[in-house]
Amino acid sequence: MTLKDLFKPTRSLTYLLILNALIIVSCKDSSKKDELQAADTETTASETEMDAAAGLQIHPISHATAVLSWDDTTIYVDPVGGAEAFSEYPEPDLILITDIHGDHFDLETLKGLQTQKAKIIMPQAVADQMPDSFTTQIDILNNGGQKERYGISVTAVPMYNLREEAKDFHVKGRGNGYVLEKNAERIYFSGDTEDIPEMRALENIDKAFVCMNLPYTMTVESAADAVLEFKPSQVYPYHYRGRPEVSDVSKFRELVSQGNPDIEVVQLDWYPSEEY
């Protein structure tokens, strides 16, 4: 065997070893890239629920129900669905209830929660359905009323229907939307409403939670038109499951973004057990 013959397989082996090393490095780089992309996605998803500058975390529970952690204060908005839906969250300091309907007010859920230290803000129509055992905890606010609790100013604003065929769903003066304010941060929860003049007249809203479902509230077009008028910094579409249709929140995002790209549309998962 010649020296040339010995060299051939050695050179081939060397080539194979180099090629194998390049494949391993390439796979590692690709895996690392995938990990970074996944981390970026997780960060984005997390940021839609947390505003570190405002000391605020927003946890959607379902439909119109949310938990807010604002500095050291825990706020439940329209707690329904049973106490187990809140098992992962601290006991509430403040509870806001917008209206008498079952997707906003559920007495059995309230009874099942640890609410002994909580103040509960509600309109008179809800207070009329509360047992005497809650009396000392209740702050009754009707449209235009204001109360400060835990350093948070809570103002009750109107919510009602405009369409003739829907006026009996939510009559003017019965239910409340709410504007919460702390450290110059203003958060609006619409409750069940259409694009009423009182919504359109809101000012300096940082985060707006706006409903959109038929036949009970309003269309995505009406919701977008109102948002474009009062110009919140961010808008969170919520309460968008109707009967029988589910509102097209992608269309809402498109309308708002086209009308004013400075308004950020933030989509949270309000229906975790559903595909929409």
Side-chain angles (χ1 to χ4, degrees):
M1 182 180 295
T2 66
L3 183 62
K4 183 177 180 182
D5 291 330
L6 287 171
F7 179 72
K8 279 183 178 180
T10 303
R11 184 169 59 182
S12 299
L13 179 60
T14 301
Y15 285 162
L16 287 172
L17 290 172
I18 292 172
L19 180 60
N20 187 56
L22 289 172
I23 290 172
I24 291 172
V25 170
S26 175
C27 288
K28 286 184 176 179
D29 287 344
S30 176
S31 176
K32 184 66 174 178
K33 183 178 179 182
D34 291 342
E35 289 174 7
L36 289 172
Q37 287 176 341
D40 287 343
T41 301
E42 289 171 4
T43 300
T44 301
S46 176
E47 286 172 354
T48 62
E49 298 183 39
M50 185 172 78
D51 185 342
L56 177 68
Q57 288 184 309
I58 301 163
H59 308 281
I61 303 300
S62 179
H63 190 56
T65 303
V67 173
L68 275 60
S69 301
W70 204 345
D71 294 331
D72 296 326
T73 304
T74 299
I75 307 165
Y76 287 9
V77 181
D78 284 341
V80 302
E84 62 277 5
F86 304 88
S87 60
E88 297 180 7
Y89 302 101
E91 296 174 10
D93 301 297
L94 182 62
I95 298 174
L96 306 177
I97 300 176
T98 60
D99 201 13
I100 61 175
H101 291 154
D103 54 341
H104 300 274
F105 166 58
D106 178 42
L107 182 56
E108 293 308 309
T109 296
L110 289 176
K111 287 180 176 179
L113 294 169
Q114 296 298 317
T115 64
Q116 290 82 356
K117 68 175 184 177
K119 282 296 182 180
I120 310 174
I121 294 179
M122 60 182 62
Q124 183 66 58
V126 177
D128 290 341
Q129 300 186 31
M130 295 291 291
D132 292 341
S133 57
F134 284 93
T135 299
T136 59
Q137 298 173 253
I138 293 174
D139 287 324
I140 297 174
L141 283 188
N142 292 313
N143 294 173
Q146 187 271 336
K147 184 75 69 172
E148 183 168 320
R149 292 298 186 191
Y150 303 97
I152 300 169
S153 172
V154 181
T155 302
V157 297
M159 48 149 278
Y160 56 93
N161 287 107
L162 295 171
R163 293 168 296 127
E164 196 62 39
E165 68 274 18
K167 282 186 176 180
D168 288 341
F169 290 139
H170 306 98
V171 297
K172 187 174 182 178
R174 187 187 71 201
N176 292 332
Y178 292 105
V179 174
L180 286 64
E181 183 170 359
K182 179 180 180 181
N183 300 331
E185 181 88 0
R186 286 166 56 81
I187 303 172
Y188 168 58
F189 281 89
S190 72
D192 281 2
T193 191
E194 291 189 54
D195 52 325
I196 56 177
E198 295 89 343
M199 176 194 285
R200 292 175 176 273
L202 291 170
E203 296 180 343
N204 303 318
I205 299 296
D206 296 288
K207 301 179 189 299
F209 292 79
V210 177
C211 64
M212 54 196 76
N213 67 323
L214 292 178
Y216 304 113
T217 63
M218 57 181 158
T219 65
V220 297
E221 290 82 5
S222 294
D225 194 53
V227 165
L228 290 171
E229 185 161 347
F230 74 88
K231 302 181 183 67
S233 299
Q234 294 178 314
V235 59
Y236 294 70
Y238 85 140
H239 198 292
Y240 51 82
R241 179 187 58 211
R243 291 185 181 177
E245 302 297 331
V246 176
S247 293
D248 187 349
V249 290
S250 297
K251 179 66 177 297
F252 172 79
R253 176 192 295 271
E254 179 184 337
L255 291 170
V256 172
S257 299
Q258 287 178 352
N260 186 343
D262 291 334
I263 300 174
E264 181 185 3
V265 180
V266 182
Q267 180 62 60
L268 302 182
D269 186 5
W270 294 95
Y271 304 96
S273 61
E274 305 291 344
E275 294 182 358
Y276 48 83

Short mmCIF file of all heavy atoms in Angstrom, two decimals, residues 62-88:
data_model
loop_
_atom_site.label_atom_id
_atom_site.label_comp_id
_atom_site.label_asym_id
_atom_site.label_seq_id
_atom_site.Cartn_x
_atom_site.Cartn_y
_atom_site.Cartn_z
N SER A 62 -62.62 36.10 32.99
CA SER A 62 -63.54 35.64 31.96
C SER A 62 -64.54 36.74 31.63
O SER A 62 -65.13 37.34 32.55
CB SER A 62 -64.29 34.38 32.42
OG SER A 62 -65.21 33.94 31.43
N HIS A 63 -64.72 37.00 30.35
CA HIS A 63 -65.79 37.86 29.85
C HIS A 63 -65.67 39.29 30.38
O HIS A 63 -65.03 40.13 29.75
CB HIS A 63 -67.14 37.24 30.18
CG HIS A 63 -68.32 37.89 29.53
ND1 HIS A 63 -68.43 38.05 28.17
CD2 HIS A 63 -69.46 38.41 30.07
CE1 HIS A 63 -69.58 38.64 27.89
NE2 HIS A 63 -70.22 38.88 29.02
N ALA A 64 -66.31 39.61 31.51
CA ALA A 64 -66.24 40.95 32.09
C ALA A 64 -65.52 40.96 33.43
O ALA A 64 -65.45 41.99 34.09
CB ALA A 64 -67.65 41.50 32.27
N THR A 65 -64.97 39.83 33.81
CA THR A 65 -64.39 39.66 35.14
C THR A 65 -62.87 39.76 35.08
O THR A 65 -62.24 39.12 34.23
CB THR A 65 -64.80 38.30 35.73
OG1 THR A 65 -66.22 38.22 35.77
CG2 THR A 65 -64.24 38.10 37.12
N ALA A 66 -62.30 40.56 35.98
CA ALA A 66 -60.85 40.74 36.01
C ALA A 66 -60.37 40.92 37.44
O ALA A 66 -61.14 41.30 38.33
CB ALA A 66 -60.45 41.96 35.17
N VAL A 67 -59.09 40.65 37.64
CA VAL A 67 -58.40 40.95 38.89
C VAL A 67 -57.28 41.93 38.57
O VAL A 67 -56.48 41.69 37.66
CB VAL A 67 -57.83 39.69 39.56
CG1 VAL A 67 -56.98 40.06 40.77
CG2 VAL A 67 -58.95 38.74 39.97
N LEU A 68 -57.23 43.03 39.30
CA LEU A 68 -56.17 44.01 39.15
C LEU A 68 -55.32 44.00 40.42
O LEU A 68 -55.85 44.04 41.53
CB LEU A 68 -56.73 45.41 38.95
CG LEU A 68 -57.12 45.86 37.54
CD1 LEU A 68 -58.19 44.95 36.95
CD2 LEU A 68 -57.60 47.31 37.55
N SER A 69 -54.02 43.96 40.24
CA SER A 69 -53.08 44.13 41.34
C SER A 69 -52.42 45.48 41.14
O SER A 69 -51.62 45.65 40.22
CB SER A 69 -52.03 43.01 41.35
OG SER A 69 -52.65 41.75 41.46
N TRP A 70 -52.77 46.43 41.98
CA TRP A 70 -52.28 47.81 41.80
C TRP A 70 -51.48 48.16 43.04
O TRP A 70 -52.03 48.44 44.10
CB TRP A 70 -53.46 48.75 41.60
CG TRP A 70 -53.09 50.01 40.86
CD1 TRP A 70 -51.85 50.49 40.63
CD2 TRP A 70 -53.99 50.93 40.23
NE1 TRP A 70 -51.89 51.65 39.89
CE2 TRP A 70 -53.20 51.94 39.64
CE3 TRP A 70 -55.38 50.99 40.11
CZ2 TRP A 70 -53.76 53.01 38.95
CZ3 TRP A 70 -55.93 52.05 39.42
CH2 TRP A 70 -55.14 53.05 38.83
N ASP A 71 -50.16 48.13 42.88
CA ASP A 71 -49.26 48.22 44.03
C ASP A 71 -49.66 47.15 45.04
O ASP A 71 -49.62 45.98 44.71
CB ASP A 71 -49.29 49.63 44.62
CG ASP A 71 -48.70 50.67 43.66
OD1 ASP A 71 -47.82 50.31 42.85
OD2 ASP A 71 -49.12 51.84 43.71
N ASP A 72 -50.06 47.53 46.23
CA ASP A 72 -50.39 46.53 47.25
C ASP A 72 -51.90 46.28 47.37
O ASP A 72 -52.34 45.63 48.33
CB ASP A 72 -49.86 46.98 48.61
CG ASP A 72 -48.34 47.07 48.63
OD1 ASP A 72 -47.70 46.25 47.95
OD2 ASP A 72 -47.81 47.97 49.31
N THR A 73 -52.66 46.77 46.41
CA THR A 73 -54.12 46.64 46.47
C THR A 73 -54.62 45.65 45.41
O THR A 73 -54.22 45.73 44.25
CB THR A 73 -54.80 48.00 46.23
OG1 THR A 73 -54.31 48.94 47.20
CG2 THR A 73 -56.31 47.89 46.36
N THR A 74 -55.47 44.73 45.84
CA THR A 74 -56.07 43.76 44.92
C THR A 74 -57.51 44.14 44.67
O THR A 74 -58.30 44.29 45.61
CB THR A 74 -55.98 42.34 45.50
OG1 THR A 74 -54.61 41.99 45.69
CG2 THR A 74 -56.62 41.33 44.54
N ILE A 75 -57.86 44.29 43.40
CA ILE A 75 -59.20 44.73 43.00
C ILE A 75 -59.85 43.64 42.17
O ILE A 75 -59.26 43.16 41.19
CB ILE A 75 -59.13 46.03 42.17
CG1 ILE A 75 -58.34 47.10 42.92
CG2 ILE A 75 -60.52 46.53 41.80
CD1 ILE A 75 -57.91 48.27 42.04
N TYR A 76 -61.06 43.24 42.54
CA TYR A 76 -61.85 42.32 41.73
C TYR A 76 -62.92 43.15 41.00
O TYR A 76 -63.66 43.91 41.63
CB TYR A 76 -62.56 41.28 42.59
CG TYR A 76 -61.69 40.20 43.19
CD1 TYR A 76 -60.30 40.26 43.13
CD2 TYR A 76 -62.27 39.11 43.84
CE1 TYR A 76 -59.51 39.27 43.69
CE2 TYR A 76 -61.49 38.11 44.41
CZ TYR A 76 -60.11 38.20 44.33
OH TYR A 76 -59.35 37.20 44.90
N VAL A 77 -63.00 42.97 39.69
CA VAL A 77 -64.01 43.65 38.89
C VAL A 77 -65.05 42.63 38.46
O VAL A 77 -64.72 41.62 37.81
CB VAL A 77 -63.39 44.33 37.65
CG1 VAL A 77 -64.46 45.04 36.83
CG2 VAL A 77 -62.29 45.31 38.07
N ASP A 78 -66.30 42.86 38.82
CA ASP A 78 -67.42 41.96 38.47
C ASP A 78 -67.08 40.49 38.72
O ASP A 78 -67.09 39.67 37.79
CB ASP A 78 -67.83 42.18 37.01
CG ASP A 78 -68.64 43.46 36.82
OD1 ASP A 78 -69.19 43.98 37.81
OD2 ASP A 78 -68.73 43.94 35.67
N PRO A 79 -66.80 40.12 39.97
CA PRO A 79 -66.43 38.73 40.24
C PRO A 79 -67.62 37.78 40.14
O PRO A 79 -68.56 37.85 40.93
CB PRO A 79 -65.89 38.78 41.68
CG PRO A 79 -66.57 39.96 42.29
CD PRO A 79 -66.75 40.95 41.18
N VAL A 80 -67.58 36.91 39.15
CA VAL A 80 -68.59 35.86 38.96
C VAL A 80 -67.86 34.58 38.60
O VAL A 80 -66.66 34.56 38.39
CB VAL A 80 -69.60 36.24 37.85
CG1 VAL A 80 -70.30 37.56 38.14
CG2 VAL A 80 -68.92 36.30 36.48
N GLY A 81 -68.62 33.49 38.53
CA GLY A 81 -68.04 32.23 38.08
C GLY A 81 -67.60 31.30 39.18
O GLY A 81 -66.97 30.27 38.91
N GLY A 82 -67.92 31.64 40.43
CA GLY A 82 -67.54 30.78 41.55
C GLY A 82 -66.21 31.20 42.16
O GLY A 82 -65.32 31.71 41.47
N ALA A 83 -66.08 30.96 43.45
CA ALA A 83 -64.87 31.36 44.17
C ALA A 83 -63.62 30.69 43.63
O ALA A 83 -62.52 31.26 43.71
CB ALA A 83 -65.05 31.07 45.66
N GLU A 84 -63.77 29.49 43.08
CA GLU A 84 -62.59 28.76 42.59
C GLU A 84 -61.89 29.50 41.45
O GLU A 84 -60.69 29.30 41.22
CB GLU A 84 -62.98 27.35 42.13
CG GLU A 84 -63.96 27.27 40.98
CD GLU A 84 -65.42 27.40 41.41
OE1 GLU A 84 -65.69 27.67 42.60
OE2 GLU A 84 -66.29 27.24 40.53
N ALA A 85 -62.60 30.35 40.75
CA ALA A 85 -61.99 31.11 39.65
C ALA A 85 -60.94 32.09 40.16
O ALA A 85 -60.12 32.58 39.38
CB ALA A 85 -63.06 31.86 38.86
N PHE A 86 -60.93 32.36 41.47
CA PHE A 86 -60.03 33.35 42.05
C PHE A 86 -59.03 32.72 43.02
O PHE A 86 -58.36 33.42 43.77
CB PHE A 86 -60.86 34.42 42.78
CG PHE A 86 -61.86 35.07 41.90
CD1 PHE A 86 -63.14 34.53 41.75
CD2 PHE A 86 -61.55 36.21 41.18
CE1 PHE A 86 -64.08 35.12 40.92
CE2 PHE A 86 -62.47 36.80 40.34
CZ PHE A 86 -63.74 36.26 40.20
N SER A 87 -58.91 31.41 42.96
CA SER A 87 -58.07 30.69 43.93
C SER A 87 -56.60 31.05 43.82
O SER A 87 -55.84 30.89 44.79
CB SER A 87 -58.26 29.17 43.75
OG SER A 87 -57.88 28.77 42.44
N GLU A 88 -56.15 31.52 42.66
CA GLU A 88 -54.74 31.85 42.47
C GLU A 88 -54.40 33.27 42.88
O GLU A 88 -53.23 33.67 42.81
CB GLU A 88 -54.35 31.65 41.00
CG GLU A 88 -54.49 30.22 40.51
CD GLU A 88 -54.10 30.07 39.04
OE1 GLU A 88 -53.59 31.07 38.47
OE2 GLU A 88 -54.29 28.98 38.50
#
